[in-house]
């Protein structure tokens, strides 16, 4: 069964269809994570459950920048990446609740799900472990000369791990096709990046290894997609690596994203316990409302219907 939120290929521009796709995909992740948080609070999900609320634009934008066959690997805040890769929500939720219908037969839980079919290599509970593993996947790509690129996600907390820089060094030495996506939420698991990182500009972390970097606004899905396309093209075309940090908060951030607050550019705070903020500028065909932010209060199964209702209401 295919996940309706699957994004494939590069996609062309920010057309009305693209914006609908962005919105639908992000809203699916948001609703899924809200339900997962609810079930965790009820004691129906065991172990750890790290939610991806507030970060949806990062993985959806990057997923639109890769091609079929490219790989994805990430850390323990991984539910959004699974859904973006096309893994079925029912299978992910079954794994979270320990059922045999889950992607790891109910034995892996939140942090350990995989899908070879969707080229998703986990979900890893050890901080920074996915960086060396993603570098290994890129090495396999180069060895096989298959033209594939590996997106390796990790956060600002993992960015200070030693294995990250060992991976950077090997990736540059061997010219591996990997894009390191640093999802900077400014607080990792609870410690401000200013208190934990001597160099808080993560786009500069690859300089000593001759790895180029670019900093992107992780609240703007179109900006993430555009920067992702540049990074992927660089890694694929030159068999080189790229550091691609994305800020999940804009400047002047004081809270963690899991608390449900998204700070958009310009410092305007919007409480979002329900809903996803989506930029809808440049829509002029009447198919979508000419609003800067749109939100819908819907159940996971009503995502598509919600988009249609919002379009008709305006």
């Amino acid at each position: 069964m295919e996940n309706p939120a699957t994004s494939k290929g590069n996609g062309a521009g920010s057309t009305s269809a693209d914006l609908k796709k962005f919105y639908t995909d992000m809203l699916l992740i948001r609703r899924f994570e809200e339900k997962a948080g609810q079930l965790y609070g009820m004691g129906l999900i065991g172990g750890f459950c790290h939610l991806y609320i507030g970060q949806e634009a990062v993985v959806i934008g990057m997923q639109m920048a890769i091609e079929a066959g490219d790989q994805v690997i990430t850390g323990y805040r991984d539910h959004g990446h699974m859904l973006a890769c096309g893994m079925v929500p029912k299978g992910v939720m079954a794994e979270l609740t320990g059922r045999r219908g889950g992607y790891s037969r109910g034995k892996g839980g939140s942090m350990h799900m995989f899908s070879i079919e969707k080229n998703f290599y986990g979900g890893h509970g050890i901080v920074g472990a996915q960086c060396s593993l993603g570098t290994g996947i890129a090495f396999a790509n180069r060895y096989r000369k298959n033209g594939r690129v590996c997106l390796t996600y990790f956060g600002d907390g993992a960015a200070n791990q030693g294995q990250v820089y060992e991976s950077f060094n090997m990736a540059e030495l061997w010219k591996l096709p990997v894009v390191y996506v640093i999802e900077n939420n400014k607080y990792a698991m609870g410690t401000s990046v200013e208190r934990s990182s001597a160099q808080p500009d993560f786009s500069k972390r690859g300089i000593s290894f001759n790895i180029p970097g670019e900093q992107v606004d992780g609240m703007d899905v179109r900006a993430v997609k555009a920067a992702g396309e540049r990074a992927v093209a660089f890694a694929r075309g030159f068999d080189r690596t790229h550091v691609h940090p994305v800020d999940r908060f804009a400047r002047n951030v004081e809270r963690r994203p899991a608390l449900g607050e998204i700070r958009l550019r310009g410092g305007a705070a919007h409480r979002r316990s329900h809903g996803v903020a989506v930029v809808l500028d440049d829509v002029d065909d009447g198919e979508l409302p000419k609003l800067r932010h749109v939100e819908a209060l819907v159940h996971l199964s009503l995502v598509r219907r919600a988009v249609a209702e919002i379009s008709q209401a305006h």
Side-chain angles (χ1 to χ4, degrees), residues 98-121:
R99 301 175 186 276
R100 63 183 178 184
Y103 275 95
S104 297
R105 299 183 181 273
K107 298 179 180 180
S110 174
M111 299 184 289
H112 306 100
M113 278 182 259
F114 312 88
S115 175
I116 297 299
E117 177 189 2
K118 300 299 181 182
N119 293 299
F120 180 75
Y121 289 81

Side-chain angles (χ1 to χ4, degrees), residues 43-256:
L44 298 177
I45 294 177
F48 294 95
C49 186
H50 302 278
L51 302 181
Y52 202 65
I53 290 176
Q55 307 170 204
E56 298 88 349
V58 176
V59 71
I60 294 303
M62 289 302 299
Q63 196 67 20
M64 288 288 284
I66 62 177
E67 299 177 356
D70 291 338
Q71 303 102 346
V72 173
I73 188 169
T74 187
Y76 48 73
R77 200 182 302 275
D78 53 1
H79 308 157
H81 303 78
M82 298 173 192
L83 298 176
C85 285
M87 294 170 68
V88 182
K90 184 177 180 180
V92 178
M93 190 62 78
E95 184 62 37
L96 290 177
T97 53
R99 301 175 186 276
R100 63 183 178 184
Y103 275 95
S104 297
R105 299 183 181 273
K107 298 179 180 180
S110 174
M111 299 184 289
H112 306 100
M113 278 182 259
F114 312 88
S115 175
I116 297 299
E117 177 189 2
K118 300 299 181 182
N119 293 299
F120 180 75
Y121 289 81
H124 295 275
I126 302 302
V127 177
Q130 71 275 20
C131 191
S132 52
L133 294 173
T135 304
I137 294 171
F139 176 80
N141 289 339
R142 185 163 189 260
Y143 184 82
R144 294 167 178 166
K145 300 181 180 179
N146 58 16
R148 302 274 64 89
V149 170
C150 180
L151 297 186
T152 301
Y153 292 84
F154 57 97
D156 49 301
N160 294 320
Q161 290 285 318
Q163 60 187 314
V164 171
Y165 299 98
E166 293 182 60
S167 298
F168 282 6
N169 187 58
M170 287 186 287
E172 176 59 22
L173 276 175
W174 298 333
K175 312 303 180 191
L176 304 182
V178 56
V179 176
Y180 297 109
V181 185
I182 305 175
E183 299 188 78
N184 178 18
N185 70 5
K186 312 269 188 185
Y187 282 87
M189 280 292 291
T191 303
S192 169
V193 68
E194 283 77 15
R195 294 176 54 207
S196 61
S197 298
Q199 174 51 273
D201 183 351
F202 294 100
S203 65
K204 297 179 180 179
R205 290 299 182 97
I207 289 179
S208 61
F209 302 96
N210 296 319
I211 298 177
E214 181 177 357
Q215 191 163 352
V216 187
D217 180 4
M219 290 290 101
D220 187 338
V221 65
R222 295 180 300 182
V224 174
K225 175 178 179 287
E229 288 175 340
R230 292 191 294 271
V232 170
F234 181 86
R236 195 190 313 280
F238 296 92
D239 257 4
R240 293 287 296 279
T241 184
H242 193 93
V243 175
H244 180 64
V246 284
D247 285 332
R248 296 193 296 246
F249 279 147
R251 47 189 173 273
N252 300 324
V253 178
E254 298 175 354
R255 289 176 178 260
R256 296 173 59 191

Side-chain angles (χ1 to χ4, degrees), residues 5 7 18-33 52-61 80 83-84 218-222 275-280 294 300 303:
S7 300
D18 292 328
L19 294 174
K20 283 184 177 179
K21 182 65 173 171
F22 289 148
Y23 179 74
T24 303
D25 288 4
M26 289 191 290
L27 188 59
L28 172 61
I29 295 174
R30 175 63 62 92
R31 293 293 167 255
F32 183 94
E33 293 292 64
Y52 202 65
I53 290 176
Q55 307 170 204
E56 298 88 349
V58 176
V59 71
I60 294 303
L83 298 176
M219 290 290 101
D220 187 338
V221 65
R222 295 180 300 182
V276 177
V278 183
V279 178
L280 292 176
V294 175
L300 177 64
V303 169

